[in-house]
Amino acid sequence: MRTPIHLADLSPCPFLPPTDEPQTAAAMRRHGKNRGPAFYEAALTCGQSLWLQGLPAQAMLQINRAFGADLASDDPVLESWPLPYPAMAWVMVERTEDQFIGNPRRHFQHLATRMVEPRKELRTWRAWACWWMSRLIFPDYPADEEQIANEGIAEPTFAVISAQLAKTGHPGEVEIWASVCDQLGERK
């Protein structure tokens, strides 16, 4: 049996599948264009591996990829690994100051405003939901004000994100996200 990978000061994310294999994003290539349940679980597992290697920004990118998977709301993988809003928030909260994370607020703003198909609308609102969480976790991190001004972007409210997730997302998705926001201390 292999010893689980992790750095001495990092605990596994409780919202991601366990792994004992060091992985990089290249591990996801084996899925090709298939973005179904196996892709979803593999992206989450890769995210855990990257987290345990001390790479929170790369872990977040894999969690982003999982949000883009093509899953039915009753897919069995979601019973084991519900939509990863708690995992995304956990990685942002638990990373240490010396670990690169970039500016998640800008990252999610750009992701939401530059989304492409497939499932563009759903993925856009999931990105805005993660943007909202990043604002709560990193209140001093700036938005991309230049993009907002030049492209006339209106940052959505909690109510707008909730309504759009209710319209485009899975049953119960708003509740998962809102619960994380409540734990972070704010909905507004």
Side-chain angles (χ1 to χ4, degrees), residues 131-154:
W131 167 84
W132 187 270
M133 294 186 311
S134 73
R135 286 177 58 254
L136 299 176
I137 296 165
F138 304 109
D140 297 330
Y141 283 31
D144 183 343
E145 296 295 345
E146 185 176 329
Q147 183 201 25
I148 289 170
N150 291 343
E151 298 177 24
I153 294 167

Side-chain angles (χ1 to χ4, degrees), residues 5-109:
I5 57 164
H6 60 83
L7 301 176
D9 58 342
L10 293 178
S11 297
C13 174
F15 305 107
L16 294 173
T19 184
D20 60 1
E21 297 277 331
Q23 296 181 34
T24 66
M28 298 303 294
R29 288 189 197 132
R30 66 187 160 130
H31 295 280
K33 294 184 187 265
N34 182 340
R35 296 293 186 259
F39 174 86
Y40 176 79
E41 188 166 9
L44 295 178
T45 303
C46 186
Q48 178 79 278
S49 178
L50 291 164
W51 164 257
L52 292 171
Q53 293 173 66
L55 303 168
Q58 290 184 39
M60 289 172 61
L61 291 175
Q62 291 305 311
I63 298 168
N64 279 342
R65 293 184 82 185
F67 272 120
D70 188 10
L71 300 174
S73 60
D74 61 349
D75 198 295
V77 73
L78 292 170
E79 291 176 25
S80 299
W81 305 109
L83 291 169
Y85 294 105
M88 185 67 80
W90 191 92
V91 168
M92 287 190 278
V93 168
E94 295 298 322
R95 68 99 179 154
T96 60
E97 289 295 321
D98 63 330
Q99 292 175 312
F100 176 77
I101 199 164
N103 180 339
R105 180 177 180 169
R106 285 175 68 109
H107 166 75
F108 290 118
Q109 175 186 326

Side-chain angles (χ1 to χ4, degrees), residues 120-168:
K120 179 181 176 181
E121 187 176 9
L122 170 60
R123 292 171 54 229
T124 295
W125 289 107
R126 286 177 173 170
W128 279 123
C130 290
W131 167 84
W132 187 270
M133 294 186 311
S134 73
R135 286 177 58 254
L136 299 176
I137 296 165
F138 304 109
D140 297 330
Y141 283 31
D144 183 343
E145 296 295 345
E146 185 176 329
Q147 183 201 25
I148 289 170
N150 291 343
E151 298 177 24
I153 294 167
E155 294 179 325
T157 64
F158 182 91
V160 168
I161 297 168
S162 294
Q164 292 300 322
L165 282 178
K167 177 180 146 190
T168 61

